[in-house]
Structure formats: C-alpha cells, structure tokens
Amino acid sequence: MTTPLLLIEDTPSLQMVYRSVLTSAGHAVRVAATAADGLAAFTEVKPSVVLLDLVLPDRDGLDLMADMLAQRPEVHVIVITANGSINKAVEAMRAGAHDFLVKPFDETRFLGAVDNALTGRPPAGRAARPAPRPRAAPATASPASDAFIGASEAMERIHAKIRSVARSMATVFITGESGTGKELCALAVHDNSARASGPFIALNCGAIPQDLLESEVFGHVKGSFTGAISDKPGAAAAADGGTLFLDEICEMAPALQTKLLRFLQTSTVQPVGATRPRKVNVRIVCATNQDPLEAVRRGRFREDLYYRLFVVPIHMPPLRERGEDVIEIARAALQRFSAEEGRNFTGFSPEVETLFLRHPWPGNVRQLLNVIRHVVVLNDGGLVTPAMLPESLPRGLEAAAPEPERDHAAAADPTRLGDLIGRPLAEVERLLIEATLARCNGSVPKAARMLELSPSTLYRKIEGWKDA
C-alpha cells in the first residue's frame, strides 16, 4: 500500500489549499498542524515525502526536520517558507532538505516539487542534463514520455511541427496548461535537432527566488556576493552547444528580462561579478502555462522580449481535447507501472474507459499518471474497475458536468448581508475569500479569477492571516 504525503502546516486555509491541490493530482495526504502531531504522524505512516512549513506554533521547523532525518535519512523534505525567510530556506537545504518553496507559489511549482521528490529527481530549476545524448530519429517520445503517446489530430500536428522546427535554430515558445508535457515537447525539439548530442539544460524560472535567478541563468564569479564561495557557470553557459529550456518564462523578473533580451541579441553571457562577457552557442526553448500576450498587456512581460522569443509557437493541447489519446496513455502507463511494481493487470473495464473519456482531467497527463500509479500500487492486478480508482476521482459520469452558473441575483440579495453588517472590513474580506476557496475546492487560481485578483495576491492574503 502506498504511503501518503505528510503535510505539516498550522494555517487551516493553507492546509485546505495544499491538500486540495495534492488530492486533485491523485496524491494521498496526511495533515498535521503542529510539530508534535507531525512527528507522531511521521513515525506512524513513514512517508517518503514531507511538506514542512518552517514556522510552527510549538517548535522550529528546522529542529523538527533534523529529528525526522535522524529517524529516516532517506526521506525527502520540502520546506515551505515566506518570501522574507530565504536565508532560512537556504539553511534548510544545507541541513538536508530536498527542495524549498517560497510563498506565494503556484500549483505548477508545488506539484513539480512533489513529483521530483517522489521520483528522487533533483529539485526543479536546479536539474540539468549536461551529459551528451544520442540523437533521436523520430519526433516521438520514449515509453516513459506518456504525454506524447496518442494519435489524435492535435498530437499529429504537434509531431509535424516538431519535426519541421527542430532542424532550424529558431526559438520555440511552448504554451499549455500544467501537466500537458511542455518539457517533453522541448526535449523532442532538442532530440530531433543537430544539437541532440549536446547538453539539454532545463531551468524553471518560477522555482527559484528572483534574487538568485540571475546567478542561476548567467552564473557568478567567486566573491561576487555573500555566499558565492566558488565560480559558477550558470545555465546559459552550461547549455553551450545545446539547448537551454526556460520553463515558466513569464515568471522572470523584469530586470532579468532585460538581460535575457541582451543575451538573445548578442549570444554572450556575463556572470555576476565578471568583467568580460563570454560568447556561447545556445538554442532557446521556453514555455509557460500562462497567456504570454496577456502578460505583455498587463506589463509583467516585456513586449520586445515576447516578440524575440515568440518565433515558432507550439501549443500543447489539454488532455480533455485529445479524445482517445487518454485511453492509449492510460494503457501504456498501466503496463509500465505494472512491470515496475511486479503486478499483473490486464486492462481497464469499459466503465473505467468511459469514465476516463468523460473526465475533464484538470491536471492533464500528470493527473492521469498519478491515478494509474495509485491503482497499480493499491491492487494486485486483473481488470481495473471503478472501485479501484482513487476517491478523489469521481465515479459517476455526472461528475464531468460543468459547474452551474453563479446565481448573481441571489448573490446580490441585500437581505443576505445582515450577518456582515457591523463587522470589520478585513474580517468580511477574509470570510469572502474563504467561502470562495471552499466553492472552488481550494483552488487558489480559480478563486483568484472569481474574485478578480492575481493568485499571488490571494496567497499573500492567506499567508497574512497566519501572522495576524
């Protein structure tokens, strides 16, 4: 039986948000609100991954992490800290944490950190593939690259565009929802290019604190700032002769966008603290789960950089628009996971396949793979039936029906405002936000859209309640 993730977080609203995101992605979660309860749960369930807020009411999170690592050194701890506590996150990494999350963070970064911890991969944004890779002939994925399995019309167009663009030096801009396989698309472009034997360096711009991102991209020299104890080449130099993949490009700070534009224009990098630039030969592939043009309109992304990068766009379609591909991906994943876990599954029942075709899959391929992994780990084999599916996945087909329209007339009914009159405005705001989060099943992005706020603003408000 698979062990749940352990989430140690004392703020109820954040507990609800984090748990909802994790369960929607197919993960089982055990929640604790204090260090004492967290350590007891850690001893009981023996999780492989712990999500640990460093600020707890009864004990310092670093001390708790030390106790957990002393018990089980193999556990992967992801520490969660506020924006003003970067030094504490760095201290946690030195003490043995696998990764850190700085609030506010989005669902993509959150789930990416968890996926990396579960598979033992290095943290997102610090993972690289500098070793030479053999060139792949067709623009198709390996058996493990489930997002590229399928023969739908949408994916055929993707394969054709990859085959065409891979032979050029043109910058590729990949868009698509979280979990659709944007990094796999970038890898396919690299593997089908003349640079396939060179390095493929992936950097997640949303996974690294902004004050460290310049050093991660362009490198630094020893002594250029506090903590720079040795020279570091940076991702752009490490990708020399190969491909640099910049994920979540729209999260890049404006000041660094200017330096990236200069890099694209001159093909030179100048590490922090260096006196001379260095020429490199790098192909840029970038990706975002946002609308980049909307980011330009809002002033969060430079227009000149957008037009410099947006040369060959590739949009990865969501799983719900890929028809029968969902069944092909599920069958391939079932076969692969069965072999890994020593199980003997024969396929899916017609009811399960129908449910898979009807389900909207908000987490896309990532969510589907988590569902299949859940089934394989918790069952011995045979035909997959609806009873084997995780509880987070609706059994009935009616679950795929769209959410009902909001009753604006009822919401505007002044007779329902009586309980709020006389309360402080901050308290009314908190009640409204918590009610909206509950309606959106804990999804901060959905609640933010409903409230016409940015997700980062909503995260900051939720975090502020903790300090109040």
Side-chain angles (χ1 to χ4, degrees):
M1 180 175 180
T2 186
T3 57
L5 307 176
L6 175 58
L7 169 64
I8 305 176
E9 165 63 60
D10 66 316
T11 304
S13 53
L14 288 174
Q15 280 185 11
M16 179 180 69
V17 171
Y18 299 159
R19 186 169 195 165
S20 175
V21 170
L22 290 168
T23 54
S24 295
H27 299 294
V29 186
R30 175 75 174 267
V31 178
T34 64
D37 290 346
L39 189 58
F42 179 81
T43 304
E44 177 188 346
V45 303
K46 295 181 172 56
S48 59
V49 174
V50 177
L51 293 142
L52 173 64
D53 193 322
L54 291 180
V55 180
L56 297 170
D58 57 336
R59 193 179 178 193
D60 184 76
L62 285 177
D63 292 341
L64 175 59
M65 185 182 76
D67 285 351
M68 292 190 293
L69 291 175
Q71 280 191 36
R72 295 176 52 236
E74 73 279 6
V75 72
H76 287 156
V77 179
I78 302 171
V79 299
I80 302 173
T81 184
N83 194 33
S85 306
I86 300 297
N87 290 338
K88 201 159 189 178
V90 173
E91 185 182 349
M93 294 292 286
R94 290 172 177 164
H98 182 264
D99 200 356
F100 66 90
L101 297 168
V102 180
K103 304 172 187 175
F105 46 83
D106 63 16
E107 294 181 19
T108 302
R109 166 64 176 132
F110 186 43
L111 293 175
V114 171
D115 288 345
N116 288 338
L118 286 170
T119 57
R121 292 194 300 268
R126 290 175 285 283
R129 299 176 178 86
R133 300 168 52 90
R135 183 171 180 177
T140 55
S142 66
S145 302
D146 301 276
F148 269 29
I149 294 173
S152 63
E153 184 179 346
M155 289 308 297
E156 286 296 329
R157 289 196 298 267
I158 296 294
H159 292 316
K161 182 170 280 192
I162 289 173
R163 284 192 294 268
S164 177
V165 72
R167 296 188 293 269
S168 76
M169 270 293 291
T171 301
V172 178
F173 202 123
I174 307 168
T175 58
E177 297 175 8
S178 174
T180 51
K182 294 187 290 296
E183 183 169 351
L184 291 176
C185 180
L187 269 170
V189 171
H190 173 76
D191 285 343
N192 285 271
S193 72
R195 298 171 170 266
S197 60
F200 176 90
I201 306 297
L203 194 71
N204 190 324
C205 300
I208 304 170
Q210 295 293 350
D211 54 346
L212 299 179
L213 190 54
E214 181 179 358
S215 172
E216 291 288 337
V217 176
F218 299 116
H220 63 253
V221 298
K222 180 180 178 180
S224 56
F225 55 85
T226 303
I229 59 176
S230 62
D231 291 351
K232 179 176 181 177
D240 194 8
T243 302
L244 175 61
F245 174 55
L246 298 174
D247 198 6
E248 296 189 39
I249 186 71
C250 290
E251 298 296 326
M252 185 175 283
L256 192 55
Q257 291 177 31
T258 303
K259 295 184 178 181
L260 178 60
L261 181 63
R262 183 177 181 277
F263 166 61
L264 293 172
Q265 292 168 338
T266 64
S267 296
T268 60
V269 295
Q270 186 164 350
V272 178
T275 57
R276 295 183 179 179
R278 170 191 167 186
K279 197 84 170 177
V280 294
N281 179 11
V282 174
R283 182 185 191 169
I284 300 292
V285 178
C286 56
T288 181
N289 59 6
Q290 303 179 30
D291 178 351
L293 196 54
E294 180 62 22
V296 171
R297 293 192 187 102
R298 291 175 177 267
R300 293 188 288 107
F301 199 70
R302 289 180 61 112
E303 186 175 16
D304 48 0
L305 180 59
Y306 167 79
Y307 286 115
R308 185 84 186 193
L309 292 172
F310 207 79
V311 179
V312 179
I314 297 179
H315 180 72
M316 293 298 295
L319 188 55
R320 61 183 174 274
E321 296 178 4
R322 292 177 53 183
E324 296 285 338
D325 283 1
V326 64
I327 304 301
E328 290 190 47
I329 295 171
R331 288 171 178 166
L334 183 68
Q335 182 179 11
R336 178 161 62 90
F337 294 157
S338 295
E340 291 175 3
E341 301 290 344
R343 302 289 200 268
N344 184 24
F345 284 89
T346 58
F348 300 96
S349 71
E351 294 81 6
V352 170
E353 291 193 353
T354 301
L355 191 151
F356 281 1
L357 289 169
R358 292 284 301 274
H359 190 67
W361 298 110
N364 292 296
V365 177
R366 183 187 293 123
Q367 181 187 7
L368 175 60
L369 296 183
N370 286 335
V371 168
I372 305 303
R373 175 73 79 176
H374 175 102
V375 168
V376 171
V377 170
L378 295 183
N379 299 277
D380 294 328
L383 196 68
V384 178
T385 63
M388 297 181 182
L389 301 177
E391 294 180 0
S392 59
L393 194 72
R395 302 294 193 278
L397 300 181
E398 69 277 5
E403 294 182 3
E405 291 292 324
R406 294 182 63 188
D407 187 348
H408 294 282
D413 184 354
T415 62
R416 299 190 179 189
L417 302 178
D419 292 339
L420 302 179
I421 294 174
R423 294 192 182 191
L425 183 59
E427 184 180 346
V428 174
E429 179 187 62
R430 179 169 179 172
L431 289 170
L432 175 61
I433 290 174
E434 289 180 338
T436 306
L437 281 168
R439 171 173 287 192
C440 296
N441 296 319
S443 172
V444 169
K446 288 183 180 178
R449 286 195 295 271
M450 188 176 289
L451 294 168
E452 297 185 0
L453 296 172
S454 69
S456 60
T457 298
L458 204 51
Y459 277 117
R460 281 195 296 272
K461 288 182 178 294
I462 295 171
E463 178 61 21
W465 299 336
K466 183 175 181 177
D467 300 327

